[in-house]
Amino acid sequence: MSQNIRPDDGFLRVIPPPGHAAPLPKAGEKNVLITSALPYCNNVPHLGNIIGSTLSADVFSRRSRNQRTLYICGTDEYGTATETQALKEGITPQELCDKYYVLHKETYKWFDIGFDHFGRTSTPLHSEIAQEIYTNLGKHGLLERQEKEQTYCEGCPKFLADRFVEGICPHCGFDDARGDQCDGCSRTLDAIELIKPRCLVDKTHVVTTRTSAHMYLKLNDIQPRTEEWIKASAKAGKWSPNAVINGDGELIDARLKKGLMPTPLTRDLKWGVPVPVEGEDAFGMKGKFDAPIGYPSITANYTPDWKQWWFNPKDVNLYQFMGKDNVYFHTVYWPSVQLGDGRDWTKLHHLSTTEYLNYEGGKFSKSKNRGVFGPAAKDTGIPASVWRYYLLSSRPETADAMFSWPECIAANNNVLLNNFGNFVNRVLKFVSSQYGGIIPDSKDAPGPYSPNDPVDGEFISSVNGLLKDFIDAMDAVKIRLGLQIVMLISSQGNNYLQAAGLNKALIASNPLRCAQVISRAVNLIYALSALISPFMPSTSDAILSQLNAPARTVSEVLSNDILAGHKLGEPEHLFKKIEEKMAEEWRIKFGGTEVAKDAIPEPAKQSKRKAAKKAADTPALASDGPKSAEAIALEAKVAEQGLTIRQLKGLTPKTPEIDAEIKAAVEVLKSLKGKLEAALKQS
């Protein structure tokens, strides 16, 4: 099929296939090293885990900014969590890790999450690197031996980590207090304080306390250097606002303000990294100390030149993506270890964190089968691209967000189908039916467009402004904003078709003008294929197939890149409608033990009542007759704005800033509804 495409002088971010040589940083340039929180290898990730780390990191890694990029992740396999889960399942820790490594890898693959390398920590290189760091800390006088009382299960038999012991809170009497915190009174606890402690592996086991000796890292000695580094890095890398430092440069982490204390590096483990000191007891290292070390060790298993990435702060910027519960370990603990180690490590440049994504009014719970976990997303039949769009559009960047089935369906039907997909399909079908799929000659020169009339001028100026906003947002790691801008650009395309009057009559009355409109609309679709690629890569691939065009980088201005005489591919719909009734079915299916199989849950009943009332309140917006292109475009805008408002209302906790955003968004919605009502009356 013939192509007539203007060459692209940029280069695309291509994720190497398995077995391909690892990309290496280029000296004298700023290269990008990306990591996302290492998932524990004892369970499958839920939607909140995915948006909080791996998916967000994947979007940033795919942006095309002509920078060498490496995205590393993998399963965190050593430690108490693995040992305990293996006991529960009656298999060895290695068998457990092998099982969940495959489940994690398959889940991320289905979600189109493209790591350069997804590895694991139970490797000889991991032990070697961890032991080298441990030895260096000792050489610098930063380790000390301490003895401490710990909870011990006589039945397992083993020392119990805080998360695997529960009992009665000594302060409020709450019966199910955890070893680190009481959910009844929210007080921080030490597991040995619990009254009548119980082992979560088997609650019939006898739990006592025993003294255990461990090696502690003297964080208090490193704290002055850590604070100095935090202040400099947070300012240079523009960390997320929910990190350990606020926008005024003030340290807000309670542990830093109180003063860091020595913390244990070793654990009583069989499944861990042996301490590299002769005569020491066979303690292992895992968890807080082990997990950050997994990033360089996984890189080392990917390429022997791993030190070019991890000991190269001059040429490499490290971006890390995680939920807020991991912030301390990556902004205080791990940098302290790197500083104490003494070598010139590549340290954190930019931290991107999220709040929690909750599920339908509560929390995700694997034990209660509540929420969507890993492979179950595929079982819904919702395409990965739609999942990616909804999760990213709901990304909880400044406050907790709530997953909602009706909103997920609305995101597909009202935004992707009616706005984005409608624009692409309308243009390409028009070219196919009226021009035989061949781009007509618009007399435009290749390269940036010049306006031919006021309609073109407003359209090109608006799109170019949004392109700049998109680049700025993505460079600042404002992922949700970047996606919103892509949808705004798509809306501009729909508006342009309406304002320019693209139809069969325009071909007859002004064939040159019709060709100009086609050229701009097709090339906006080409630009959208690049803009949407980080968020929905398979959707981008589908657009490129229909355009019969190669992938290209994000342009700073709208350009004539698909030239006259180019032959398009076959136009097809990018998205399919999801029936609204599926919300009720999925809510029951994924509601777990709390939702009765034979009843409609109360939230669903309330949603139905609200939807009925909403429909009754807005009869003027209904129209059974044919709708104008303007009305169709406005309907998409109304639906998109309504989704934005619902998402804002779902944010918690409520703040004056969020209330102001909601108020402003409602005013925009009212204005759009007025315009839509007028357009429907003229249809």
Side-chain angles (χ1 to χ4, degrees), residues 601-616:
E602 186 58 29
K605 295 176 183 176
Q606 293 173 0
S607 296
K608 280 191 170 185
R609 288 194 291 267
K610 288 179 181 178
K613 184 177 184 301
K614 184 177 180 182

Side-chain angles (χ1 to χ4, degrees), residues 23 40 76 110 118 157 210 254 258 450 492 556 574 593 670:
Y40 278 125
D76 179 23
W110 185 82
F118 186 79
R210 290 190 183 185
K258 185 179 179 181
S450 298
Q492 288 298 319
E556 295 184 358
L574 293 172
T593 55
K670 289 179 180 178

Side-chain angles (χ1 to χ4, degrees), residues 422-490:
N422 174 68
F423 170 64
V424 174
N425 190 253
R426 181 182 174 189
V427 173
L428 299 188
K429 283 189 72 173
F430 188 89
V431 178
S432 177
S433 62
Q434 303 303 314
Y435 294 96
I438 298 175
I439 303 298
D441 188 0
S442 63
K443 306 302 181 183
D444 289 299
Y449 279 114
S450 298
N452 293 305
D453 59 22
V455 171
D456 271 12
E458 182 180 351
F459 167 65
I460 293 170
S461 174
S462 176
V463 169
N464 288 347
L466 288 170
L467 286 171
K468 181 182 184 303
D469 291 343
F470 174 84
I471 292 170
D472 291 344
M474 295 303 288
D475 284 350
V477 204
K478 296 181 178 179
I479 292 173
R480 189 176 67 193
L481 175 60
L483 182 55
Q484 290 171 347
I485 293 171
V486 175
M487 295 303 149
L488 286 174
I489 292 174
S490 172

Side-chain angles (χ1 to χ4, degrees), residues 414 614 618 621 633-649 660-678:
N414 299 338
K614 184 177 180 182
T618 56
L621 298 186
L634 283 166
E635 280 186 337
K637 283 187 175 182
V638 167
E640 184 175 359
Q641 189 66 13
L643 181 63
T644 298
I645 291 170
R646 287 194 295 275
Q647 290 172 344
L648 286 170
K649 288 182 176 180
E661 280 191 63
I662 293 172
K663 185 176 180 180
V666 169
E667 291 303 314
V668 172
L669 180 61
K670 289 179 180 178
S671 174
L672 288 171
K673 282 186 174 181
K675 293 178 181 178
L676 174 57
E677 185 173 356

Side-chain angles (χ1 to χ4, degrees), residues 189-209:
L189 301 175
D190 188 311
I192 62 172
E193 297 179 274
L194 293 173
I195 300 169
K196 296 183 179 179
R198 304 182 297 272
C199 171
L200 291 185
V201 176
D202 187 331
K203 295 182 181 181
T204 66
H205 287 174
V206 175
V207 176
T208 59
T209 60

Side-chain angles (χ1 to χ4, degrees), residues 21-185:
L24 294 177
K26 189 174 182 179
E29 297 183 2
K30 274 303 174 186
N31 306 273
V32 177
L33 174 59
I34 299 172
T35 69
S36 52
L38 300 180
Y40 278 125
C41 202
N42 65 340
N43 212 329
V44 291
H46 58 64
L47 298 179
N49 302 139
I50 290 169
I51 185 57
S53 57
T54 50
L55 177 54
S56 296
D58 177 63
V59 171
F60 187 69
S61 79
R62 289 177 182 271
R63 84 198 205 291
S64 298
R65 296 296 293 149
N66 290 0
Q67 293 174 315
R68 291 174 185 262
T69 300
L70 179 70
Y71 176 21
I72 291 293
C73 192
T75 45
D76 179 23
E77 302 192 353
Y78 284 136
T80 304
T82 301
E83 279 191 357
T84 304
Q85 186 64 29
L87 278 172
K88 288 181 179 180
E89 298 193 18
I91 56 179
T92 67
Q94 184 65 65
E95 289 171 336
L96 183 90
C97 292
D98 292 344
K99 168 186 171 181
Y100 282 105
Y101 174 76
V102 172
L103 285 172
H104 274 272
K105 197 169 184 179
E106 289 178 346
T107 297
Y108 301 134
K109 182 180 179 181
W110 185 82
F111 272 97
D112 277 338
I113 297 173
F115 312 99
D116 284 271
H117 182 62
F118 186 79
R120 49 201 307 187
T121 58
S122 58
T123 67
L125 273 174
H126 177 81
S127 296
E128 179 183 318
I129 293 169
Q131 289 171 338
E132 186 174 11
I133 293 172
Y134 181 94
T135 300
N136 287 340
L137 293 172
K139 287 178 180 178
H140 294 126
L142 296 172
L143 300 180
E144 65 180 17
R145 184 184 179 92
Q146 292 188 17
E147 293 188 354
K148 184 182 177 182
E149 287 285 311
Q150 293 179 235
T151 52
Y152 185 86
C153 177
E154 302 285 353
C156 282
K158 60 179 293 188
F159 285 96
L160 295 174
D162 293 344
R163 75 185 71 185
F164 294 108
V165 59
E166 66 180 16
I168 300 172
C169 176
H171 303 290
C172 71
F174 183 66
D175 189 52
D176 294 321
R178 293 179 284 114
D180 56 352
Q181 181 177 312
C182 174
D183 290 336
C185 63

Side-chain angles (χ1 to χ4, degrees), residues 358-418:
N358 295 315
Y359 179 81
E360 291 270 313
K363 294 182 178 181
F364 288 86
S365 173
K366 186 63 177 176
S367 62
K368 297 179 180 178
N369 293 318
R370 191 172 193 280
V372 182
F373 284 76
K378 181 179 180 180
D379 296 339
T380 63
I382 299 175
S385 277
V386 176
W387 275 117
R388 287 175 65 108
Y389 172 76
Y390 175 65
L391 291 173
L392 291 163
S393 68
S394 308
R395 187 172 187 256
E397 295 178 354
T398 57
D400 290 354
M402 190 68 66
F403 175 89
S404 160
W405 285 112
E407 287 185 6
C408 180
I409 293 172
N412 177 81
N413 295 349
N414 299 338
V415 181
L416 295 179
L417 183 63
N418 291 347

